[in-house]
Amino acid sequence: MKRLMGLLLALGLLAVLAACGHFVPIMPGTDPVIAGTETPVPEDAAPAEDVFETRPLMSFIGWDSFATSYYDDTPIALSIYTPERGYASPVFDRASIVAACDALRSMSVTGRAEGAPIGGETTFIFTMENGVTWSVTFAGTDLKMPSTNYTVSGGDNLWALTFPGYSEGYDLFDLYFDAGVRAFADDYYNNRPVSVGRRMNGGATLTSQDPAIVDQVFQLLANARIDRIETSPDQNIDLTQTTDYVFSLPDASYYTFSFAGPCLAVTVSEDYGTVYYWLNGLEQLPETAVLPESRLPTFSGGQLTALREDIALAQQAAFNELGGVTVIGVFVSYTINGQDGYLTLSGNTAAQFVQQVTTITASAEQVAPQGEEITVSVTLSDESGPILYFIGDSIQQVVGTNYACDANAMANLRSYILSLAQDPNNISGIIGESTG
């Protein structure tokens, strides 16, 4: 009976405790906890942060396939870009590209970066042969990701790489990333070129064999230094105005250095495209008299034969005096009376036009060019032909060197062009109203 009463009393006490919410089950091996006595957890408390696991950088940014293929499928170019400079500068040598890849592969991401980065942003861009690019950005020396920066270790060789415009030591010849061009520059005085030529807009090449002139052109190129790289050449450079400087060596090899407008134009890889460099120190280059003073043209007899040899050939072809070589076409672009237009001629009309143009008389007097412009491009049946530049009543030999032409003859040429533009048998059109 006593046992029964004790059991009933215990069950009653248990029921009372449960009803009051003070019963807390105790798991084996734990200390008893009284409900209502636990330390409360604030509602806005942050969850415990996961421990960061160090990982290879290339895996972290999803470059596993790139990391295993760059030795066999090496990018054709590596560029560096900083917002401060505002332009991407490429290198094309495989050694630098592979060194950058090796450096990135040796890097590890070690944790989330705390505080603001020390230093600006730097982006490295790898360009593949098919045009695909892989880029990685650092904020200072931290890896920059869309939402968080991360600390990294290793890869010191990446920051030791040099780029034109960002690093000292590059000269004009380095920009070609060509061992032959580098050897030409380094061995110049032991293997002097026999001549230097200048070619404007793909026309005839004016050549000088005067050692002083050859050395002067070379020294100007050698002393030039990179200012910046043009990011929008189609907007900021007149790509139709080209100048080539051609050095011919005793073994008949030659090296050509090309400019578009004022910028050096270098095409190391057709897949990457042309890079346009603004250079300091070339202000005197257009003024260099590639044609020596003793050979400056004098014009007499109504012929421009002394200006360029190919003008004489065009004239002979126009008069059927060149043994089967004929004038097959003429393209004229012009600004006359404030109106920009173009004109395409063929057959007898083209030949007659060449006859008139090449008999314009000019003096040996150099003048400052001013006035409206006319460009005449002649194509002969052997695919040669001159390109003539008239500015006002002058004809251009090279940029900065213009000779006075007969004013009446130039007035007749302008009238002749306008009359031909009205002939429905010729192809002509108006480009727009001149704003100059």
Side-chain angles (χ1 to χ4, degrees):
M1 188 66 176
K2 289 181 179 180
R3 290 180 180 177
L4 179 60
M5 291 299 293
L7 178 61
L8 291 174
L9 181 61
L11 290 173
L13 179 60
L14 180 63
V16 171
L17 290 173
C20 295
H22 293 296
F23 173 74
V24 179
I26 300 174
M27 300 298 294
T30 64
D31 294 330
V33 177
I34 307 293
T37 65
E38 312 96 318
T39 302
V41 178
E43 293 183 2
D44 59 349
E49 186 171 317
D50 296 336
V51 176
F52 190 90
E53 180 180 352
T54 298
R55 293 173 56 188
L57 181 142
M58 281 196 169
S59 294
F60 189 82
I61 62 177
W63 285 25
D64 290 306
S65 63
F66 181 88
T68 59
S69 64
Y70 67 82
Y71 274 108
D72 296 323
D73 187 17
T74 305
I76 61 173
L78 164 63
S79 304
I80 188 175
Y81 171 82
T82 67
E84 179 184 7
R85 298 289 182 90
Y87 57 82
S89 174
V91 294
F92 297 91
D93 62 299
R94 188 176 187 275
S96 294
I97 296 171
V98 171
C101 296
D102 287 344
L104 288 173
R105 193 174 66 170
S106 72
M107 285 184 173
S108 296
V109 180
T110 57
R112 294 178 178 84
E114 300 293 338
I118 301 176
E121 290 187 11
T122 305
T123 300
F124 295 90
I125 307 160
F126 297 87
T127 302
M128 309 304 294
E129 189 174 5
N130 61 3
V132 172
T133 59
W134 299 72
S135 62
V136 57
T137 299
F138 294 88
T141 56
D142 296 333
L143 175 67
K144 181 178 177 60
M145 297 297 281
S147 58
T148 307
N149 295 340
Y150 293 85
T151 57
V152 298
S153 64
D156 292 343
N157 289 339
L158 181 66
W159 305 104
L161 296 173
T162 60
F163 296 83
Y166 283 83
S167 311
E168 298 294 332
Y170 281 87
D171 65 18
L172 179 148
F173 307 108
D174 291 325
L175 303 178
Y176 290 83
F177 293 90
D178 182 277
V181 173
R182 185 69 262 168
F184 160 77
D186 293 342
D187 200 39
Y188 176 84
Y189 290 102
N190 295 321
N191 186 28
R192 249 191 180 92
V194 296
S195 68
V196 63
R198 178 160 49 196
R199 181 172 54 239
M200 306 287 295
N201 298 325
T205 302
L206 298 175
T207 301
S208 174
Q209 297 181 359
D210 184 342
I213 298 298
V214 179
D215 287 353
Q216 183 181 3
V217 174
F218 172 77
Q219 282 299 330
L220 286 170
L221 296 178
N223 293 334
R225 287 298 176 263
I226 303 156
D227 179 44
R228 67 187 189 279
I229 297 172
E230 178 55 56
T231 58
S232 302
D234 55 334
Q235 299 177 25
N236 299 325
I237 303 173
D238 186 353
L239 299 177
T240 66
Q241 298 298 313
T242 62
T243 308
D244 301 321
Y245 292 89
V246 184
F247 292 89
S248 297
L249 274 65
D251 62 0
S253 62
Y254 60 90
Y255 290 91
T256 302
F257 303 95
S258 300
F259 291 80
C263 293
L264 180 72
V266 179
T267 305
V268 174
S269 166
E270 294 290 346
D271 296 307
Y272 187 89
T274 302
V275 184
Y276 298 91
Y277 298 90
W278 289 89
L279 304 173
N280 294 320
L282 290 179
E283 295 78 12
Q284 296 180 11
L285 187 60
E287 302 172 5
T288 304
V290 169
L291 199 62
E293 185 69 26
S294 61
R295 292 178 54 196
L296 285 177
T298 56
F299 304 95
S300 60
Q303 296 186 2
L304 303 178
T305 56
L307 180 61
R308 293 178 184 168
E309 292 181 359
D310 57 356
I311 294 178
L313 296 178
Q315 185 181 43
Q316 294 171 26
F319 285 98
N320 297 315
E321 299 172 354
L322 206 56
V325 178
T326 59
V327 176
I328 62 173
V330 175
F331 179 79
V332 183
S333 62
Y334 60 86
T335 300
I336 299 177
N337 299 332
Q339 193 173 66
D340 296 332
Y342 66 89
L343 179 64
T344 300
L345 308 174
S346 59
N348 290 333
T349 305
Q352 292 169 5
F353 185 86
V354 172
Q355 290 173 14
Q356 175 161 339
V357 171
T358 56
T359 55
I360 292 176
T361 59
S363 72
E365 176 192 0
Q366 293 192 27
V367 295
Q370 56 183 354
E372 297 182 321
E373 299 183 9
I374 299 173
T375 300
V376 177
S377 178
V378 180
T379 302
L380 305 181
S381 57
D382 64 355
E383 298 185 357
S384 67
I387 302 177
L388 309 179
Y389 302 94
F390 296 96
I391 303 178
D393 292 336
S394 70
I395 186 169
Q396 182 184 92
Q397 179 193 32
V398 294
V399 173
T401 303
N402 285 66
Y403 295 93
C405 294
D406 179 82
N408 291 329
M410 290 305 302
N412 291 335
L413 177 62
R414 287 187 282 270
S415 296
Y416 186 28
I417 290 172
L418 293 178
S419 66
L420 291 172
Q422 300 301 316
D423 189 337
N425 295 317
N426 302 320
I427 300 174
S428 63
I430 299 301
I431 300 173
E433 294 298 322
S434 173
T435 59

